[in-house]
mmCIF file of all heavy atoms in Angstrom:
data_model
loop_
_atom_site.group_PDB
_atom_site.id
_atom_site.type_symbol
_atom_site.label_atom_id
_atom_site.label_comp_id
_atom_site.label_asym_id
_atom_site.label_seq_id
_atom_site.Cartn_x
_atom_site.Cartn_y
_atom_site.Cartn_z
ATOM 1 N N PRO A 1 76.111 -12.630 38.922
ATOM 2 C CA PRO A 1 75.094 -12.987 39.920
ATOM 3 C C PRO A 1 75.378 -12.419 41.309
ATOM 4 O O PRO A 1 74.451 -12.145 42.068
ATOM 5 C CB PRO A 1 75.118 -14.516 39.929
ATOM 6 C CG PRO A 1 76.411 -14.904 39.313
ATOM 7 C CD PRO A 1 76.798 -13.798 38.384
ATOM 8 N N GLU A 2 76.642 -12.174 41.628
ATOM 9 C CA GLU A 2 76.972 -11.655 42.965
ATOM 10 C C GLU A 2 76.452 -10.234 43.179
ATOM 11 O O GLU A 2 76.171 -9.825 44.302
ATOM 12 C CB GLU A 2 78.482 -11.709 43.221
ATOM 13 C CG GLU A 2 79.336 -10.795 42.343
ATOM 14 C CD GLU A 2 79.600 -11.308 40.936
ATOM 15 O OE1 GLU A 2 79.276 -12.465 40.638
ATOM 16 O OE2 GLU A 2 80.145 -10.541 40.139
ATOM 17 N N LEU A 3 76.299 -9.472 42.104
ATOM 18 C CA LEU A 3 75.773 -8.116 42.223
ATOM 19 C C LEU A 3 74.293 -8.096 42.596
ATOM 20 O O LEU A 3 73.800 -7.128 43.161
ATOM 21 C CB LEU A 3 75.956 -7.349 40.906
ATOM 22 C CG LEU A 3 77.387 -7.053 40.471
ATOM 23 C CD1 LEU A 3 77.398 -6.394 39.101
ATOM 24 C CD2 LEU A 3 78.074 -6.150 41.482
ATOM 25 N N PHE A 4 73.620 -9.175 42.273
ATOM 26 C CA PHE A 4 72.171 -9.205 42.449
ATOM 27 C C PHE A 4 71.706 -10.170 43.531
ATOM 28 O O PHE A 4 70.523 -10.459 43.626
ATOM 29 C CB PHE A 4 71.491 -9.578 41.114
ATOM 30 C CG PHE A 4 71.758 -8.590 40.017
ATOM 31 C CD1 PHE A 4 72.743 -8.831 39.078
ATOM 32 C CD2 PHE A 4 71.032 -7.413 39.936
ATOM 33 C CE1 PHE A 4 72.990 -7.930 38.063
ATOM 34 C CE2 PHE A 4 71.277 -6.506 38.924
ATOM 35 C CZ PHE A 4 72.259 -6.753 37.980
ATOM 36 N N GLU A 5 72.622 -10.668 44.354
ATOM 37 C CA GLU A 5 72.259 -11.658 45.370
ATOM 38 C C GLU A 5 71.117 -11.170 46.267
ATOM 39 O O GLU A 5 70.181 -11.903 46.528
ATOM 40 C CB GLU A 5 73.474 -12.018 46.226
ATOM 41 C CG GLU A 5 74.405 -13.001 45.551
ATOM 42 C CD GLU A 5 75.622 -13.299 46.410
ATOM 43 O OE1 GLU A 5 75.614 -13.003 47.614
ATOM 44 O OE2 GLU A 5 76.584 -13.849 45.859
ATOM 45 N N ASP A 6 71.219 -9.925 46.734
ATOM 46 C CA ASP A 6 70.191 -9.392 47.629
ATOM 47 C C ASP A 6 68.872 -9.138 46.911
ATOM 48 O O ASP A 6 67.803 -9.160 47.516
ATOM 49 C CB ASP A 6 70.673 -8.081 48.273
ATOM 50 C CG ASP A 6 71.904 -8.300 49.144
ATOM 51 O OD1 ASP A 6 72.099 -9.439 49.621
ATOM 52 O OD2 ASP A 6 72.654 -7.337 49.334
ATOM 53 N N SER A 7 68.944 -8.903 45.617
ATOM 54 C CA SER A 7 67.741 -8.541 44.856
ATOM 55 C C SER A 7 67.179 -9.687 44.026
ATOM 56 O O SER A 7 66.160 -9.519 43.362
ATOM 57 C CB SER A 7 68.065 -7.390 43.901
ATOM 58 O OG SER A 7 68.673 -6.338 44.575
ATOM 59 N N GLU A 8 67.815 -10.830 44.066
ATOM 60 C CA GLU A 8 67.424 -11.913 43.166
ATOM 61 C C GLU A 8 65.959 -12.331 43.340
ATOM 62 O O GLU A 8 65.239 -12.528 42.364
ATOM 63 C CB GLU A 8 68.332 -13.128 43.384
ATOM 64 C CG GLU A 8 68.168 -14.169 42.314
ATOM 65 C CD GLU A 8 69.245 -15.235 42.375
ATOM 66 O OE1 GLU A 8 70.199 -15.101 43.170
ATOM 67 O OE2 GLU A 8 69.112 -16.202 41.633
ATOM 68 N N LYS A 9 65.490 -12.393 44.581
ATOM 69 C CA LYS A 9 64.098 -12.780 44.827
ATOM 70 C C LYS A 9 63.146 -11.738 44.248
ATOM 71 O O LYS A 9 62.147 -12.072 43.599
ATOM 72 C CB LYS A 9 63.869 -12.939 46.331
ATOM 73 C CG LYS A 9 62.553 -13.555 46.690
ATOM 74 C CD LYS A 9 62.472 -13.791 48.180
ATOM 75 C CE LYS A 9 61.232 -14.565 48.549
ATOM 76 N NZ LYS A 9 61.153 -14.840 49.971
ATOM 77 N N GLU A 10 63.445 -10.450 44.452
ATOM 78 C CA GLU A 10 62.611 -9.384 43.904
ATOM 79 C C GLU A 10 62.611 -9.400 42.381
ATOM 80 O O GLU A 10 61.573 -9.181 41.755
ATOM 81 C CB GLU A 10 63.114 -8.024 44.396
ATOM 82 C CG GLU A 10 62.872 -7.783 45.869
ATOM 83 C CD GLU A 10 63.468 -6.458 46.331
ATOM 84 O OE1 GLU A 10 63.457 -5.498 45.534
ATOM 85 O OE2 GLU A 10 63.921 -6.407 47.477
ATOM 86 N N ILE A 11 63.772 -9.673 41.787
ATOM 87 C CA ILE A 11 63.864 -9.731 40.325
ATOM 88 C C ILE A 11 63.035 -10.896 39.797
ATOM 89 O O ILE A 11 62.303 -10.756 38.811
ATOM 90 C CB ILE A 11 65.344 -9.835 39.874
ATOM 91 C CG1 ILE A 11 66.063 -8.512 40.188
ATOM 92 C CG2 ILE A 11 65.437 -10.179 38.391
ATOM 93 C CD1 ILE A 11 67.551 -8.560 40.039
ATOM 94 N N ASP A 12 63.122 -12.047 40.455
ATOM 95 C CA ASP A 12 62.315 -13.197 40.041
ATOM 96 C C ASP A 12 60.820 -12.877 40.127
ATOM 97 O O ASP A 12 60.046 -13.252 39.242
ATOM 98 C CB ASP A 12 62.634 -14.424 40.894
ATOM 99 C CG ASP A 12 63.985 -15.037 40.550
ATOM 100 O OD1 ASP A 12 64.489 -14.784 39.434
ATOM 101 O OD2 ASP A 12 64.541 -15.759 41.407
ATOM 102 N N GLN A 13 60.406 -12.174 41.187
ATOM 103 C CA GLN A 13 58.989 -11.791 41.332
ATOM 104 C C GLN A 13 58.578 -10.819 40.229
ATOM 105 O O GLN A 13 57.485 -10.919 39.676
ATOM 106 C CB GLN A 13 58.737 -11.168 42.706
ATOM 107 C CG GLN A 13 58.775 -12.168 43.829
ATOM 108 C CD GLN A 13 58.669 -11.489 45.189
ATOM 109 O OE1 GLN A 13 58.827 -10.276 45.311
ATOM 110 N NE2 GLN A 13 58.424 -12.288 46.219
ATOM 111 N N PHE A 14 59.472 -9.884 39.917
ATOM 112 C CA PHE A 14 59.187 -8.936 38.836
ATOM 113 C C PHE A 14 59.009 -9.664 37.509
ATOM 114 O O PHE A 14 58.073 -9.387 36.761
ATOM 115 C CB PHE A 14 60.313 -7.900 38.704
ATOM 116 C CG PHE A 14 60.185 -7.033 37.486
ATOM 117 C CD1 PHE A 14 59.272 -5.994 37.465
ATOM 118 C CD2 PHE A 14 60.961 -7.268 36.365
ATOM 119 C CE1 PHE A 14 59.128 -5.197 36.338
ATOM 120 C CE2 PHE A 14 60.823 -6.477 35.235
ATOM 121 C CZ PHE A 14 59.915 -5.441 35.226
ATOM 122 N N ILE A 15 59.895 -10.600 37.225
ATOM 123 C CA ILE A 15 59.797 -11.363 35.976
ATOM 124 C C ILE A 15 58.484 -12.137 35.933
ATOM 125 O O ILE A 15 57.783 -12.135 34.922
ATOM 126 C CB ILE A 15 61.008 -12.312 35.826
ATOM 127 C CG1 ILE A 15 62.280 -11.484 35.569
ATOM 128 C CG2 ILE A 15 60.780 -13.320 34.704
ATOM 129 C CD1 ILE A 15 63.558 -12.278 35.637
ATOM 130 N N GLU A 16 58.135 -12.757 37.043
ATOM 131 C CA GLU A 16 56.886 -13.522 37.110
ATOM 132 C C GLU A 16 55.672 -12.621 36.866
ATOM 133 O O GLU A 16 54.772 -12.948 36.103
ATOM 134 C CB GLU A 16 56.779 -14.199 38.476
ATOM 135 C CG GLU A 16 55.636 -15.182 38.582
ATOM 136 C CD GLU A 16 55.635 -15.871 39.939
ATOM 137 O OE1 GLU A 16 56.690 -16.418 40.327
ATOM 138 O OE2 GLU A 16 54.587 -15.838 40.592
ATOM 139 N N LYS A 17 55.655 -11.455 37.509
ATOM 140 C CA LYS A 17 54.541 -10.525 37.322
ATOM 141 C C LYS A 17 54.509 -9.989 35.893
ATOM 142 O O LYS A 17 53.444 -9.826 35.306
ATOM 143 C CB LYS A 17 54.648 -9.358 38.301
ATOM 144 C CG LYS A 17 54.284 -9.726 39.721
ATOM 145 C CD LYS A 17 54.410 -8.522 40.622
ATOM 146 C CE LYS A 17 54.134 -8.900 42.059
ATOM 147 N NZ LYS A 17 54.336 -7.762 42.964
ATOM 148 N N SER A 18 55.672 -9.691 35.313
ATOM 149 C CA SER A 18 55.736 -9.152 33.960
ATOM 150 C C SER A 18 55.205 -10.145 32.942
ATOM 151 O O SER A 18 54.552 -9.761 31.977
ATOM 152 C CB SER A 18 57.179 -8.783 33.601
ATOM 153 O OG SER A 18 57.643 -7.783 34.454
ATOM 154 N N GLU A 19 55.484 -11.421 33.155
ATOM 155 C CA GLU A 19 55.020 -12.429 32.211
ATOM 156 C C GLU A 19 53.504 -12.577 32.246
ATOM 157 O O GLU A 19 52.906 -13.043 31.285
ATOM 158 C CB GLU A 19 55.714 -13.766 32.478
ATOM 159 C CG GLU A 19 57.182 -13.726 32.075
ATOM 160 C CD GLU A 19 57.946 -14.981 32.431
ATOM 161 O OE1 GLU A 19 57.489 -15.742 33.305
ATOM 162 O OE2 GLU A 19 58.999 -15.201 31.824
ATOM 163 N N SER A 20 52.880 -12.171 33.340
ATOM 164 C CA SER A 20 51.426 -12.274 33.426
ATOM 165 C C SER A 20 50.744 -10.927 33.144
ATOM 166 O O SER A 20 49.566 -10.769 33.403
ATOM 167 C CB SER A 20 51.013 -12.779 34.810
ATOM 168 O OG SER A 20 51.351 -11.814 35.789
ATOM 169 N N PHE A 21 51.493 -9.990 32.594
ATOM 170 C CA PHE A 21 50.961 -8.654 32.306
ATOM 171 C C PHE A 21 49.802 -8.728 31.321
ATOM 172 O O PHE A 21 49.860 -9.407 30.309
ATOM 173 C CB PHE A 21 52.069 -7.766 31.720
ATOM 174 C CG PHE A 21 51.565 -6.449 31.221
ATOM 175 C CD1 PHE A 21 51.312 -5.415 32.100
ATOM 176 C CD2 PHE A 21 51.329 -6.247 29.877
ATOM 177 C CE1 PHE A 21 50.842 -4.197 31.650
ATOM 178 C CE2 PHE A 21 50.860 -5.031 29.415
ATOM 179 C CZ PHE A 21 50.618 -4.009 30.305
ATOM 180 N N LYS A 22 48.745 -8.007 31.639
ATOM 181 C CA LYS A 22 47.599 -7.875 30.742
ATOM 182 C C LYS A 22 47.256 -6.391 30.667
ATOM 183 O O LYS A 22 47.184 -5.719 31.681
ATOM 184 C CB LYS A 22 46.411 -8.661 31.277
ATOM 185 C CG LYS A 22 46.627 -10.160 31.217
ATOM 186 C CD LYS A 22 45.432 -10.909 31.768
ATOM 187 C CE LYS A 22 45.618 -12.389 31.721
ATOM 188 N NZ LYS A 22 46.773 -12.901 32.364
ATOM 189 N N PRO A 23 47.038 -5.890 29.472
ATOM 190 C CA PRO A 23 46.729 -4.457 29.344
ATOM 191 C C PRO A 23 45.363 -4.132 29.931
ATOM 192 O O PRO A 23 44.484 -4.980 30.008
ATOM 193 C CB PRO A 23 46.748 -4.217 27.841
ATOM 194 C CG PRO A 23 46.499 -5.559 27.237
ATOM 195 C CD PRO A 23 47.070 -6.567 28.193
ATOM 196 N N LEU A 24 45.215 -2.899 30.357
ATOM 197 C CA LEU A 24 43.936 -2.434 30.889
ATOM 198 C C LEU A 24 42.909 -2.338 29.769
ATOM 199 O O LEU A 24 43.220 -1.895 28.676
ATOM 200 C CB LEU A 24 44.101 -1.046 31.512
ATOM 201 C CG LEU A 24 45.042 -0.906 32.685
ATOM 202 C CD1 LEU A 24 45.119 0.560 33.092
ATOM 203 C CD2 LEU A 24 44.585 -1.743 33.847
ATOM 204 N N LYS A 25 41.696 -2.771 30.073
ATOM 205 C CA LYS A 25 40.620 -2.641 29.098
ATOM 206 C C LYS A 25 39.510 -1.743 29.629
ATOM 207 O O LYS A 25 38.881 -1.030 28.884
ATOM 208 C CB LYS A 25 40.054 -4.011 28.741
ATOM 209 C CG LYS A 25 41.052 -4.849 27.964
ATOM 210 C CD LYS A 25 40.465 -6.135 27.497
ATOM 211 C CE LYS A 25 41.533 -6.910 26.735
ATOM 212 N NZ LYS A 25 41.063 -8.199 26.298
ATOM 213 N N LYS A 26 39.276 -1.801 30.942
ATOM 214 C CA LYS A 26 38.266 -0.942 31.574
ATOM 215 C C LYS A 26 38.920 -0.276 32.768
ATOM 216 O O LYS A 26 39.543 -0.946 33.590
ATOM 217 C CB LYS A 26 37.071 -1.772 32.053
ATOM 218 C CG LYS A 26 36.201 -2.309 30.950
ATOM 219 C CD LYS A 26 35.060 -3.116 31.518
ATOM 220 C CE LYS A 26 33.787 -2.350 31.367
ATOM 221 N NZ LYS A 26 32.622 -3.058 31.907
ATOM 222 N N LEU A 27 38.800 1.019 32.846
ATOM 223 C CA LEU A 27 39.377 1.702 33.993
ATOM 224 C C LEU A 27 38.447 2.801 34.475
ATOM 225 O O LEU A 27 37.553 3.241 33.761
ATOM 226 C CB LEU A 27 40.774 2.242 33.691
ATOM 227 C CG LEU A 27 40.954 3.199 32.533
ATOM 228 C CD1 LEU A 27 41.054 4.601 33.074
ATOM 229 C CD2 LEU A 27 42.219 2.852 31.804
ATOM 230 N N ARG A 28 38.685 3.216 35.711
ATOM 231 C CA ARG A 28 37.872 4.262 36.333
ATOM 232 C C ARG A 28 38.792 5.400 36.759
ATOM 233 O O ARG A 28 39.769 5.194 37.463
ATOM 234 C CB ARG A 28 37.131 3.698 37.536
ATOM 235 C CG ARG A 28 36.332 4.767 38.300
ATOM 236 C CD ARG A 28 35.441 4.142 39.340
ATOM 237 N NE ARG A 28 34.350 3.448 38.646
ATOM 238 C CZ ARG A 28 33.755 2.361 39.120
ATOM 239 N NH1 ARG A 28 34.136 1.832 40.263
ATOM 240 N NH2 ARG A 28 32.779 1.799 38.451
ATOM 241 N N LEU A 29 38.440 6.593 36.314
ATOM 242 C CA LEU A 29 39.141 7.805 36.713
ATOM 243 C C LEU A 29 38.302 8.485 37.778
ATOM 244 O O LEU A 29 37.116 8.730 37.560
ATOM 245 C CB LEU A 29 39.312 8.723 35.506
ATOM 246 C CG LEU A 29 39.751 10.163 35.773
ATOM 247 C CD1 LEU A 29 41.149 10.202 36.359
ATOM 248 C CD2 LEU A 29 39.666 10.992 34.510
ATOM 249 N N LYS A 30 38.904 8.751 38.933
ATOM 250 C CA LYS A 30 38.207 9.473 40.001
ATOM 251 C C LYS A 30 38.987 10.734 40.327
ATOM 252 O O LYS A 30 40.195 10.687 40.539
ATOM 253 C CB LYS A 30 38.119 8.627 41.274
ATOM 254 C CG LYS A 30 37.191 7.467 41.201
ATOM 255 C CD LYS A 30 37.130 6.758 42.542
ATOM 256 C CE LYS A 30 36.194 5.589 42.532
ATOM 257 N NZ LYS A 30 36.151 4.910 43.824
ATOM 258 N N VAL A 31 38.281 11.834 40.361
ATOM 259 C CA VAL A 31 38.902 13.119 40.686
ATOM 260 C C VAL A 31 38.115 13.750 41.827
ATOM 261 O O VAL A 31 36.888 13.790 41.788
ATOM 262 C CB VAL A 31 38.899 14.064 39.463
ATOM 263 C CG1 VAL A 31 39.453 15.424 39.832
ATOM 264 C CG2 VAL A 31 39.668 13.456 38.310
ATOM 265 N N GLN A 32 38.846 14.199 42.832
ATOM 266 C CA GLN A 32 38.227 14.939 43.932
ATOM 267 C C GLN A 32 38.984 16.245 44.080
ATOM 268 O O GLN A 32 40.208 16.250 44.179
ATOM 269 C CB GLN A 32 38.280 14.139 45.226
ATOM 270 C CG GLN A 32 37.651 14.887 46.393
ATOM 271 C CD GLN A 32 37.576 14.055 47.652
ATOM 272 O OE1 GLN A 32 37.174 12.916 47.609
ATOM 273 N NE2 GLN A 32 37.980 14.637 48.763
ATOM 274 N N ILE A 33 38.243 17.343 44.106
ATOM 275 C CA ILE A 33 38.869 18.663 44.192
ATOM 276 C C ILE A 33 38.295 19.378 45.406
ATOM 277 O O ILE A 33 37.095 19.607 45.495
ATOM 278 C CB ILE A 33 38.604 19.482 42.917
ATOM 279 C CG1 ILE A 33 39.063 18.697 41.684
ATOM 280 C CG2 ILE A 33 39.296 20.830 43.004
ATOM 281 C CD1 ILE A 33 38.603 19.285 40.380
ATOM 282 N N ASP A 34 39.162 19.700 46.342
ATOM 283 C CA ASP A 34 38.774 20.452 47.534
ATOM 284 C C ASP A 34 39.109 21.921 47.327
ATOM 285 O O ASP A 34 40.122 22.263 46.717
ATOM 286 C CB ASP A 34 39.519 19.926 48.769
ATOM 287 C CG ASP A 34 39.048 18.544 49.175
ATOM 288 O OD1 ASP A 34 37.842 18.390 49.431
ATOM 289 O OD2 ASP A 34 39.879 17.618 49.230
ATOM 290 N N TYR A 35 38.297 22.768 47.873
ATOM 291 C CA TYR A 35 38.502 24.211 47.741
ATOM 292 C C TYR A 35 39.729 24.641 48.541
ATOM 293 O O TYR A 35 40.005 24.148 49.632
ATOM 294 C CB TYR A 35 37.283 24.974 48.246
ATOM 295 C CG TYR A 35 37.455 26.473 48.158
ATOM 296 C CD1 TYR A 35 37.314 27.123 46.941
ATOM 297 C CD2 TYR A 35 37.780 27.218 49.281
ATOM 298 C CE1 TYR A 35 37.482 28.493 46.843
ATOM 299 C CE2 TYR A 35 37.943 28.589 49.197
ATOM 300 C CZ TYR A 35 37.799 29.219 47.968
ATOM 301 O OH TYR A 35 37.975 30.573 47.883
ATOM 302 N N ASN A 36 40.454 25.572 47.970
ATOM 303 C CA ASN A 36 41.570 26.208 48.639
ATOM 304 C C ASN A 36 41.636 27.629 48.080
ATOM 305 O O ASN A 36 41.409 27.826 46.894
ATOM 306 C CB ASN A 36 42.878 25.448 48.359
ATOM 307 C CG ASN A 36 44.019 25.915 49.218
ATOM 308 O OD1 ASN A 36 44.215 27.113 49.402
ATOM 309 N ND2 ASN A 36 44.776 24.979 49.728
ATOM 310 N N GLU A 37 41.932 28.601 48.912
ATOM 311 C CA GLU A 37 41.943 29.997 48.463
ATOM 312 C C GLU A 37 43.008 30.282 47.416
ATOM 313 O O GLU A 37 42.896 31.249 46.671
ATOM 314 C CB GLU A 37 42.096 30.931 49.657
ATOM 315 C CG GLU A 37 40.864 30.959 50.529
ATOM 316 C CD GLU A 37 41.018 31.896 51.724
ATOM 317 O OE1 GLU A 37 42.064 32.552 51.845
ATOM 318 O OE2 GLU A 37 40.079 31.952 52.525
ATOM 319 N N GLU A 38 44.052 29.442 47.366
ATOM 320 C CA GLU A 38 45.117 29.683 46.392
ATOM 321 C C GLU A 38 45.089 28.665 45.259
ATOM 322 O O GLU A 38 44.740 28.989 44.145
ATOM 323 C CB GLU A 38 46.476 29.667 47.102
ATOM 324 C CG GLU A 38 46.610 30.809 48.098
ATOM 325 C CD GLU A 38 47.865 30.704 48.933
ATOM 326 O OE1 GLU A 38 48.734 29.890 48.600
ATOM 327 O OE2 GLU A 38 47.964 31.434 49.920
ATOM 328 N N THR A 39 45.470 27.434 45.547
ATOM 329 C CA THR A 39 45.487 26.375 44.545
ATOM 330 C C THR A 39 44.636 25.227 45.050
ATOM 331 O O THR A 39 44.807 24.789 46.181
ATOM 332 C CB THR A 39 46.932 25.881 44.298
ATOM 333 O OG1 THR A 39 47.722 26.999 43.884
ATOM 334 C CG2 THR A 39 46.970 24.838 43.220
ATOM 335 N N ALA A 40 43.730 24.734 44.216
ATOM 336 C CA ALA A 40 42.834 23.656 44.624
ATOM 337 C C ALA A 40 43.621 22.410 45.018
ATOM 338 O O ALA A 40 44.673 22.114 44.444
ATOM 339 C CB ALA A 40 41.877 23.327 43.483
ATOM 340 N N ASP A 41 43.108 21.686 46.004
ATOM 341 C CA ASP A 41 43.695 20.407 46.411
ATOM 342 C C ASP A 41 43.075 19.325 45.533
ATOM 343 O O ASP A 41 41.863 19.105 45.573
ATOM 344 C CB ASP A 41 43.406 20.134 47.889
ATOM 345 C CG ASP A 41 44.037 21.178 48.799
ATOM 346 O OD1 ASP A 41 45.069 21.751 48.411
ATOM 347 O OD2 ASP A 41 43.498 21.400 49.886
ATOM 348 N N ILE A 42 43.914 18.660 44.750
ATOM 349 C CA ILE A 42 43.431 17.691 43.764
ATOM 350 C C ILE A 42 43.875 16.289 44.161
ATOM 351 O O ILE A 42 45.037 16.059 44.469
ATOM 352 C CB ILE A 42 43.976 18.022 42.362
ATOM 353 C CG1 ILE A 42 43.558 19.435 41.961
ATOM 354 C CG2 ILE A 42 43.506 16.998 41.342
ATOM 355 C CD1 ILE A 42 44.242 19.940 40.717
ATOM 356 N N ASP A 43 42.936 15.360 44.129
ATOM 357 C CA ASP A 43 43.196 13.956 44.409
ATOM 358 C C ASP A 43 42.696 13.167 43.202
ATOM 359 O O ASP A 43 41.520 13.240 42.862
ATOM 360 C CB ASP A 43 42.443 13.551 45.683
ATOM 361 C CG ASP A 43 42.652 12.106 46.075
ATOM 362 O OD1 ASP A 43 43.403 11.399 45.383
ATOM 363 O OD2 ASP A 43 42.057 11.680 47.077
ATOM 364 N N VAL A 44 43.594 12.447 42.535
ATOM 365 C CA VAL A 44 43.233 11.689 41.342
ATOM 366 C C VAL A 44 43.581 10.229 41.563
ATOM 367 O O VAL A 44 44.654 9.913 42.073
ATOM 368 C CB VAL A 44 43.998 12.210 40.089
ATOM 369 C CG1 VAL A 44 43.707 11.351 38.870
ATOM 370 C CG2 VAL A 44 43.664 13.655 39.813
#
């Protein structure tokens, strides 16, 4: 426990969030592509 004293609160939060994990069922993909003379600027 001494190795994790500083991280114990974060670990507890991670465990709490993990236990409430639900898989994605509906998602949205957004892609924006800006012109560039060499390689397009891509935002996903």
Side-chain angles (χ1 to χ4, degrees):
E2 66 281 351
L3 294 175
F4 298 98
E5 281 178 16
D6 297 335
S7 308
E8 191 169 353
K9 190 175 187 178
E10 290 176 35
I11 292 169
D12 287 339
Q13 288 174 346
F14 171 77
I15 290 170
E16 189 177 308
K17 286 180 184 176
S18 298
E19 289 175 340
S20 66
F21 172 80
K22 291 180 180 55
L24 298 177
K25 292 186 180 177
K26 289 180 108 181
L27 57 101
R28 176 171 289 149
L29 167 65
K30 289 183 179 180
V31 176
Q32 180 174 314
I33 305 168
D34 290 303
Y35 179 78
N36 190 316
E37 290 180 2
E38 295 173 12
T39 302
D41 297 332
I42 302 170
D43 180 1
V44 175

